[in-house]
Amino acid sequence: MRTQNSATGPTTIAVTATGSPRPEIVGTASPTGSVGASEARAGSATEVRAADPRTRGTLLAGLGVVSFSLTFPSTAWGLESFGPWSLVAVRSTLAALIAGAFLLAGRVPLPARRHWAGLAVVACGVVIGFPLLTTLALQTSTTSHAAVVVGLLPLTTATVAAVRTGRRPSRAFWIAAVSGAAVVLGFTLQQSGGSFSTGDLYLFGALLVCAAGYTEGGRLAALMPGWQVIGWALVLCLPLMAVASAVTLSIEPVHLNAHGVIGLVWVAAGSTFFGLYVWYRGMAAIGIPKASQLQLAQPLLTLFWSVFLLGESLPLAAPVAAVAVLVCIAVTQRAKS
């Protein structure tokens, strides 16, 4: 109901479910500014609430990046016990079984028919293509070298997303993104002696298929929960990966050890399921281009894990690249998309 106050102008009294009146100011401010202060406080609270989903989305996407940064060291460990083809097949099969269990436990209905094509793109790019190509690359490349090449993934994802969604990030965003990619590319060439190897070609192919999978997954994550996106993509691959596991395990030798088992478990449960779950949720909250730029930090995190877990030597140029990349991340996160 409405009431008139000569000092403050018209206001509205909203009655809550308990019956107690709760004033909501909709009129003009008083000469003393008391109502204006209330409106300012209400506006500030609204801004904080509006910012929360983006902050939470950034944290989720960042957690996904941390999970992904462990993928290459874990893959290197997994290759101690499995061949490259069997490692990819088994990791995808295990991840699909985990995802299927969660989907069954939650009694999640099948996705709409119109979503299956997008899920197939996610499956081909993220579940099969990227793991296979990067695993083949790690046959001849160190994890630190592979990590800096894959640092080009943010720019690749942003480009694919711009084409796929029709959105055009601002000029400042693109300048920062290209600058970050140039730093990563220069770092890669400097470390590899100015030329690209066969492993690099595998990695460049991995960039393209993963960017397509990330873009399509980010689009679908705005329509359904992110964990369901990767869950159904994994389940879609289960029949093929189960057969591939049986065939490759019979062909490639298996030498189980602690590192190999830990590596397999992490790439299956950590990188493939959990990492993609939080990653897609983060992308749905903050947008594909900005989320993709957080991955500029992934090579640097992987360098740390490579030294800490694998004992690889840290390149002297890494600290310089780290500062430059972090500056680019800050700029892209502030740029209007």
Side-chain angles (χ1 to χ4, degrees):
M1 60 183 175
R2 299 182 63 86
T3 184
Q4 181 73 23
N5 186 303
S6 60
T8 62
T11 63
T12 296
I13 302 296
V15 179
T16 64
T18 59
S20 60
R22 175 173 54 86
E24 294 181 352
I25 305 302
V26 297
T28 58
S30 67
T32 61
S34 59
V35 175
S38 299
E39 290 177 334
R41 287 193 296 271
S44 299
T46 301
E47 290 176 0
V48 170
R49 288 193 298 269
D52 285 343
R54 295 188 65 82
T55 301
R56 188 165 181 266
T58 300
L59 291 175
L60 288 172
L63 185 57
V65 170
V66 174
S67 300
F68 298 153
S69 71
L70 283 161
T71 300
F72 286 172
S74 298
T75 300
W77 275 4
L79 287 172
E80 294 182 14
S81 295
F82 302 92
W85 295 89
S86 58
L87 178 60
V88 173
V90 173
R91 72 179 273 185
S92 299
T93 300
L94 291 178
L97 292 174
I98 295 172
F102 273 86
L103 292 169
L104 285 175
R107 297 182 179 180
V108 179
L110 288 172
R113 182 178 298 179
R114 66 181 183 277
H115 297 326
W116 282 106
L119 289 170
V121 173
V122 176
C124 291
V126 177
V127 178
I128 299 176
F130 185 79
L132 177 60
L133 291 172
T134 53
T135 300
L136 292 173
L138 287 174
Q139 295 279 98
T140 57
S141 298
T142 63
T143 58
S144 57
H145 181 81
V148 291
V149 174
V150 174
L152 293 174
L153 184 57
L155 179 60
T156 309
T157 302
T159 303
V160 173
V163 174
R164 175 68 178 86
T165 65
R167 297 180 62 185
R168 297 294 183 267
S170 66
R171 181 178 299 178
F173 177 95
W174 283 116
I175 291 175
V178 172
S179 298
V183 169
V184 172
L185 184 59
F187 182 83
T188 303
L189 291 174
Q190 187 268 333
Q191 293 299 310
S192 61
S195 61
F196 297 113
S197 65
T198 302
D200 292 326
L201 298 180
Y202 282 131
L203 293 170
F204 290 143
L207 290 175
L208 294 176
V209 298
C210 190
Y214 278 171
T215 299
E216 200 63 21
R219 184 187 68 83
L220 290 172
L223 304 174
M224 66 178 74
W227 74 273
Q228 293 182 22
V229 173
I230 185 57
W232 287 117
L234 284 165
V235 170
L236 187 63
C237 294
L238 180 56
L240 175 62
M241 290 296 99
V243 173
S245 296
V247 173
T248 54
L249 285 173
S250 65
I251 297 175
E252 295 180 333
V254 176
H255 306 286
L256 292 180
N257 59 31
H259 278 178
V261 173
I262 293 173
L264 172 63
V265 170
W266 178 257
V267 293
S271 301
T272 306
F273 181 71
F274 174 76
L276 289 171
Y277 162 63
V278 294
W279 172 246
Y280 281 137
R281 287 195 64 180
M283 277 201 299
I286 65 176
I288 296 171
K290 285 194 174 184
S292 69
Q293 300 313 304
L294 291 175
Q295 283 198 306
L296 285 171
Q298 184 175 324
L300 307 171
L301 290 171
T302 300
L303 287 176
F304 170 78
W305 298 123
S306 299
V307 173
F308 183 73
L309 297 176
L310 304 178
E312 294 184 3
S313 58
L314 183 67
L316 295 177
V320 176
V323 174
V325 167
L326 290 177
V327 169
C328 292
I329 291 175
V331 173
T332 55
Q333 292 303 297
R334 291 179 177 274
K336 182 179 181 181
S337 61

